[in-house]
């Protein structure tokens, strides 16, 4: 009495156990409904193990409940994340035992519900996710899969009483040493501080709770397993079990998921070390994979929707409470309801756009802030409609919603081998840049996963673009907006966002408008004033001189019939037979340069497949069909001019208006 409010001292500081309990109570009361909490508690009690009077979940229980496929081998990785997040906001207490309180914190953090208590952004959340995956000593490079080598509950209890774990004691990896640019990486653990601040216990944050994030990595093998899981759960919703897509994991589908995961992993710069550093992790996620972890939310929402619990038992129990001697009856329904089959995320798979590739697109594409799943319709396929600009136009034009173009091909050799290949090479600047091989990080073979691509097969390149506006002909000016995206999906994942330096986003130029026609992104329209000025400027320098490589930040070449690619651009020729992707590290064009890959390079490839997918549904398809029918009626009306119906003077006036007779022309007799 009489002391008033004072700073928390050593004697009156609340214990860590008390703070953990208070934070869990805050999450429970503010982040979940009473029904969700009931489901969570019933799920936990039904599956919990007990040891030394403590109820907890083991790794096999967690993996079995989430229905994680054994073929992916991701169970130990998810368990490491859970045992770290279960100790939040005290990383020195990790790995935590997955008690009810710890597991509730895991669900709160991974479903994003923490924002109702902790007012912090996604970047701070991403830091905690990285820390849950990271290791700080070389002995922890690979999570142990052997059950006998894992500590039991008693060992975890004794280690937690010790205060500090190896993660806070060891020196760790000598990577990403602090520089002037790393000051932002050394900022306080904002989400941890926010949690303590919400409990009015900021004073208990000790130096031991600071993780030396600059001396940590996420092992590439573990991150690869997580990427494969994220590619599987991306279209999952809270009401859909993972067991359903897991049944579709044929050998072919697993191989496709693994190849896609390798493409994504290769962009994290793992060729420079044994894993992914926080600096690289943060940069890649923020620039190219902003929605990578969105699938974890619905996966852990399953804790809140136990489908096999019979709620009618709860109602009767509340109206007629049992006596203390009444044995407890199980609350799980004896006859679980049949699970409805989910709607396919694609109406059909294409040569390029498979379900794993669609899930990869969902990591960075959300048109109108909505996922791509169940919203794509096939508009054009070169294998079905034919590789021509005419069939492309007939299939894609008049679609009034956004579209996604995908092109796949095999890299061309340095020296052309055929006449058509040589003609395509001659249409581009003669001073050729090297291919992207030297600039693309490679994904090494992991200890449990073989390398995705075979060294004996030609390397397959996959590029694409997101077009937010309807397609149109470009006679003089390009079309598109700042929402246009250019990207690469294989062999490395990369994203090139539109810039404000130029507006040459998209062009569609059919022959014979220009000797070098085609479609593409990031370059001026063939035959436009910009292209002609570039060619005229380039003709001053000889093709082999260094100045022929760049003029005003773009590749240029002299002579007629030469196409000038933009600094970061994709060009497909008018026959849809060959393509070229150009990248200049200096940028300066309509699309920004790569966030991680440096250098100047150009990939020329022979096209194997081209696809265009429309974002929309039946309404958009009906609107496109109606527009084409109207244009066909107008074309017939223009052809069916009312001639030869007996009114000679009217026919003569129509021919004069068309410029066919009159003036200096001599027309035939109308009689």
């Amino acid at each position: 009495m009489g002391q008033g409010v004072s700073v928390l001292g050593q004697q009156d500081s609340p214990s860590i156990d008390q703070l953990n309990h208070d934070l869990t109570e805050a999450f429970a009361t503010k982040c979940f409904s009473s029904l969700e909490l009931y489901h969570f508690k019933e799920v936990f009690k039904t599956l919990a193990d007990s040891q030394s009077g403590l109820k907890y979940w083991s790794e096999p229980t967690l993996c079995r409940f989430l229905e994680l496929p054994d073929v992916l081998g991701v169970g130990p990785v998810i368990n490491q994340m859970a045992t770290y997040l279960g100790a939040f906001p005290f990383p020195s207490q990790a790995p935590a035992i997955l008690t009810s309180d710890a597991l509730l914190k895991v669900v709160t953090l991974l479903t994003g519900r923490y924002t109702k208590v902790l007012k912090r952004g996604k970047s701070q959340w991403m830091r905690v996710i990285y820390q849950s995956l990271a290791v700080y000593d070389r002995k922890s490079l690979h999570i142990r899969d052997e059950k006998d080598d894992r500590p039991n509950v008693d060992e975890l209890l004794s280690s937690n009483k010790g205060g500090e774990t190896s993660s806070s004691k060891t020196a760790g990896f000598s990577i990403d040493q602090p520089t002037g640019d790393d000051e932002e990486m050394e900022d306080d653990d904002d989400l941890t501080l926010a949690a303590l601040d919400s409990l009015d216990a900021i004073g208990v944050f000790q130096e031991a709770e600071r993780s030396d994030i600059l001396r940590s990595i996420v092992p590439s093998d573990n991150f690869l397993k997580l990427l494969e899981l994220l590619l599987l759960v991306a279209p999952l919703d809270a009401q859909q079990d993972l067991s359903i897509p897991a049944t579709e994991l044929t050998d072919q589908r697993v191989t496709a998921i693994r190849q896609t995961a390798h493409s994504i992993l290769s962009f994290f710069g793992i060729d420079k070390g044994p894993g992914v550093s926080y600096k690289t992790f943060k940069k890649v996620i923020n620039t190219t994979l902003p929605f990578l972890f969105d699938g974890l939310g619905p996966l852990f929402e399953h804790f809140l929707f136990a489908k096999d619990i019979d709620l009618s038992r709860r109602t009767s129990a509340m109206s007629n409470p049992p006596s203390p001697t009444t044995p407890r009856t199980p609350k799980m329904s004896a006859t679980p309801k049949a699970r409805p089959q989910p709607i396919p995320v694609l109406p059909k798979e294409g040569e390029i756009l498979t379900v794993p590739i669609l899930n990869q697109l969902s990591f960075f594409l959300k048109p109108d802030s909505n996922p791509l799943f169940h919203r794509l319709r096939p508009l054009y396929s070169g294998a079905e409609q034919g590789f021509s600009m005419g069939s492309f136009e007939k299939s894609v034009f008049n679609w009034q919603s956004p579209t996604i173009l995908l092109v796949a091909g095999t890299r061309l050799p340095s020296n052309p081998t055929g006449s058509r290949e040589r003609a395509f090479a001659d249409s581009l600047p003669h001073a050729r840049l090297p291919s992207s091989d030297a600039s693309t990080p490679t994904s090494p073979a992991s200890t449990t996963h073989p390398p995705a691509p075979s060294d004996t097969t030609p390397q397959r390149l996959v590029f694409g673009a997101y077009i937010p506006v309807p397609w149109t002909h470009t006679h003089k000016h390009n079309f598109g907006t700042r929402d246009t995206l250019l990207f690469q999906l294989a062999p490395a994942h990369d994203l090139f966002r539109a810039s404000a330096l130029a507006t040459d986003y998209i062009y569609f130029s059919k022959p014979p408008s220009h000797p070098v026609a085609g479609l593409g992104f990031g370059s001026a329209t063939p035959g436009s004033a910009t292209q002609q000025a570039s060619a005229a400027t380039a003709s001053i320098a000889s093709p082999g001189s260094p100045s022929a490589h760049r003029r005003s930040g773009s590749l240029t070449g002299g002579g007629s019939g030469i196409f000038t690619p933009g600094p970061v651009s994709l060009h497909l020729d008018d026959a849809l037979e060959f393509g070229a992707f150009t990248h200049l590290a200096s940028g300066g064009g309509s699309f920004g340069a790569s966030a991680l890959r440096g250098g100047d390079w150009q990939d020329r490839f022979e096209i194997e497949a081209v696809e265009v997918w429309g974002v929309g549904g039946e309404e958009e398809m009906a609107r496109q069909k109606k527009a084409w029918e109207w244009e066909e009626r107008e074309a017939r009306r223009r052809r069916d001019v009312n001639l030869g119906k007996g009114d000679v003077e009217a026919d003569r006036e129509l021919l004069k208006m068309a410029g066919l007779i009159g003036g200096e022309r001599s027309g035939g007799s109308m009689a």
Side-chain angles (χ1 to χ4, degrees):
M1 298 293 292
Q3 287 183 335
V5 179
S6 62
V7 179
L8 288 173
Q10 184 68 25
Q11 295 181 350
D12 58 355
S13 296
S15 65
I16 289 180
D17 291 340
Q18 181 62 43
L19 290 174
N20 275 322
H21 177 74
D22 292 345
L23 181 61
T24 305
E25 284 295 316
F27 283 160
T29 56
K30 297 181 180 180
C31 301
F32 302 96
S33 66
S34 57
L35 182 59
E36 289 172 337
L37 281 177
Y38 172 77
H39 278 274
F40 173 83
K41 292 176 181 179
E42 290 300 315
V43 168
F44 179 83
K45 288 189 293 185
T46 302
L47 301 178
D49 296 323
S50 180
Q51 184 173 338
S52 302
L54 181 69
K55 291 187 178 295
Y56 70 97
W57 272 31
S58 63
E59 178 184 322
T61 302
L62 179 64
C63 297
R64 185 171 64 253
F65 175 77
L66 295 177
E67 300 176 301
L68 303 180
D70 294 335
V71 68
L72 300 183
V74 73
V77 182
I78 295 298
N79 185 67
Q80 175 184 327
M81 294 182 66
T83 54
Y84 181 91
L85 297 175
F88 180 83
F90 299 102
S92 65
Q93 303 300 305
I97 304 169
L98 292 181
T99 62
S100 178
D101 285 358
L103 202 54
L104 185 65
K105 287 193 288 185
V106 174
V107 174
T108 307
L109 290 170
L110 290 182
T111 58
R113 295 173 179 243
Y114 68 91
T115 56
K116 297 180 180 179
V117 175
L118 312 179
K119 307 301 182 181
R120 289 296 187 272
K122 193 173 183 179
S123 61
Q124 288 79 23
W125 177 85
M126 199 69 67
R127 180 187 178 103
V128 175
I129 295 299
Y130 171 87
Q131 291 170 320
S132 71
L133 294 167
V135 297
Y136 297 85
D137 57 30
R138 295 186 183 277
K139 293 181 181 180
S140 301
L141 260 179
H142 300 288
I143 300 174
R144 291 172 294 183
D145 292 322
E146 295 81 5
K147 184 177 180 180
D148 294 338
D149 288 341
R150 289 194 299 269
N152 58 29
V153 175
D154 291 330
E155 291 173 345
L156 288 176
L157 282 169
S158 61
S159 65
N160 284 345
K161 290 178 182 178
E164 289 186 73
T165 62
S166 60
S167 64
S168 61
K169 291 180 179 180
T170 54
F173 298 94
S174 299
I175 59 174
D176 283 345
Q177 293 300 326
T179 63
D181 296 334
D182 292 327
E183 294 180 359
E184 184 181 353
M185 307 300 170
E186 296 180 300
D187 57 358
D188 293 332
D189 297 54
D190 288 341
L191 203 61
T192 300
L193 292 175
L196 296 175
D197 187 44
S198 67
L199 302 172
D200 294 327
I202 198 70
V204 305
F205 188 79
Q206 304 295 331
E207 192 65 28
E209 303 300 340
R210 297 183 185 273
S211 58
D212 192 356
I213 202 166
L214 293 178
R215 292 184 178 272
S216 66
I217 62 167
V218 176
S220 57
D221 189 59
N222 298 334
F223 196 40
L224 179 64
K225 295 175 183 178
L226 180 61
L227 287 173
E228 292 172 359
L229 176 65
L230 294 173
L231 285 168
L232 181 66
V233 304
L236 199 68
D237 59 56
Q239 301 294 333
Q240 179 184 350
D241 291 327
L242 187 55
S243 60
I244 297 178
T247 58
E248 303 173 356
L249 284 178
T250 61
D251 292 342
Q252 183 179 3
R253 178 55 56 86
V254 171
T255 300
I257 291 176
R258 196 149 291 162
Q259 288 176 341
T260 305
H262 272 276
S263 297
I264 298 174
L265 182 63
S266 66
F267 193 59
F268 282 85
I270 58 174
D271 59 329
K272 302 176 183 178
V276 182
S277 67
Y278 176 66
K279 182 178 180 180
T280 302
F281 180 88
K282 181 179 181 181
K283 188 171 186 179
V284 173
I285 297 297
N286 289 340
T287 57
T288 67
L289 297 165
F291 313 122
L292 176 65
F293 295 103
D294 284 9
L296 291 178
L299 180 64
F300 279 82
E301 288 274 352
H302 285 71
F303 282 92
L304 312 176
F305 299 96
K307 302 178 181 63
D308 296 334
I309 292 181
D310 188 359
L311 293 179
S312 62
R313 295 176 181 267
R314 185 193 184 203
T315 304
S316 59
M318 293 176 63
S319 58
N320 301 305
S323 64
T325 59
T326 303
R328 181 179 177 182
T329 58
K331 293 184 172 59
M332 304 300 291
S333 173
T335 56
K337 297 180 180 179
R339 298 171 178 173
Q341 292 296 319
I343 302 175
V345 295
L346 277 176
K348 67 174 183 177
E349 291 191 334
E351 286 187 84
I352 307 175
L353 188 61
T354 59
V355 172
I357 295 297
L358 172 63
N359 296 344
Q360 182 182 2
L361 291 174
S362 73
F363 292 161
F364 62 90
L365 265 183
K366 275 191 177 181
D368 304 322
S369 300
N370 294 313
L372 290 171
F373 310 115
H374 313 291
R375 301 179 62 200
L376 295 184
R377 298 293 182 269
L379 300 182
Y380 169 77
S381 170
E384 297 180 3
Q385 280 87 10
F387 290 89
S388 70
M389 299 282 283
S391 58
F392 185 101
E393 178 184 359
K394 180 65 177 177
S395 303
V396 177
F397 278 48
N398 286 324
W399 182 268
Q400 300 302 313
S401 296
T403 52
I404 298 174
L405 179 141
L406 300 173
V407 56
T410 305
R411 183 182 282 114
L412 294 172
S414 300
N415 298 318
T417 57
S419 58
R420 298 186 64 83
E421 186 179 327
R422 189 175 299 108
F424 175 71
D426 291 341
S427 68
L428 297 174
H430 303 295
R432 181 171 181 175
L433 295 172
S435 65
S436 64
D437 284 340
S439 302
T440 302
T442 57
S443 178
S446 64
T447 57
T448 57
H449 296 68
S454 173
D455 295 335
T456 59
T457 58
Q459 192 173 46
R460 189 171 188 252
L461 307 174
V462 180
F463 297 99
Y466 170 73
I467 302 94
V469 296
W471 285 78
T472 184
H473 290 277
T474 53
H475 303 289
K476 294 182 179 181
H477 304 287
N478 295 51
F479 67 97
T481 67
R482 285 287 302 276
D483 293 328
T484 309
L485 287 176
L486 195 58
F487 52 83
Q488 182 177 4
L489 301 179
H493 177 96
D494 210 341
L495 186 62
F496 312 91
R497 297 188 181 276
S499 71
L501 299 177
T503 58
D504 298 328
Y505 298 125
I506 313 166
Y507 60 88
F508 184 90
S509 178
K510 292 175 62 177
S513 60
H514 188 261
V516 184
L519 65 92
F521 310 84
S523 303
T525 301
S528 65
T530 304
Q531 280 282 345
Q532 294 173 0
S534 299
T537 304
S539 65
I540 301 175
S542 61
S545 64
S547 59
H549 281 276
R550 288 188 189 85
R551 289 287 175 178
S552 302
S554 64
L555 280 174
T556 56
S560 60
I562 299 295
F563 177 75
T564 308
V568 178
S569 59
L570 173 65
H571 170 69
L572 310 182
D573 69 354
D574 62 286
L576 301 183
E577 185 177 5
F578 299 103
F581 190 95
T582 304
H583 177 273
L584 297 183
S586 59
S590 301
F591 294 94
S594 173
L596 249 66
R597 287 191 288 177
D600 300 340
W601 46 271
Q602 185 181 75
D603 283 333
R604 303 181 183 186
F605 55 94
E606 183 177 6
I607 296 175
E608 297 176 348
V610 181
E611 295 175 1
V612 179
W613 295 76
V615 179
E618 299 297 330
E619 183 178 348
E620 284 78 9
M621 294 183 67
R623 189 182 299 119
Q624 184 193 35
K625 181 180 179 181
K626 185 176 181 180
W628 276 117
E629 291 175 348
W630 181 86
E631 290 192 8
E632 290 174 357
R633 288 196 303 269
E634 287 297 303
R636 286 196 301 268
R637 186 180 64 82
R638 288 191 295 268
R639 287 194 303 267
D640 298 338
V641 179
N642 189 21
L643 294 177
K645 301 299 182 179
D647 192 343
V648 178
E649 292 300 325
D651 293 346
R652 185 182 298 276
E653 290 299 322
L654 284 173
L655 293 174
K656 285 183 179 180
M657 293 174 62
L660 299 179
I661 63 173
E664 298 180 355
R665 296 178 179 268
S666 59
S669 173
M670 296 292 296

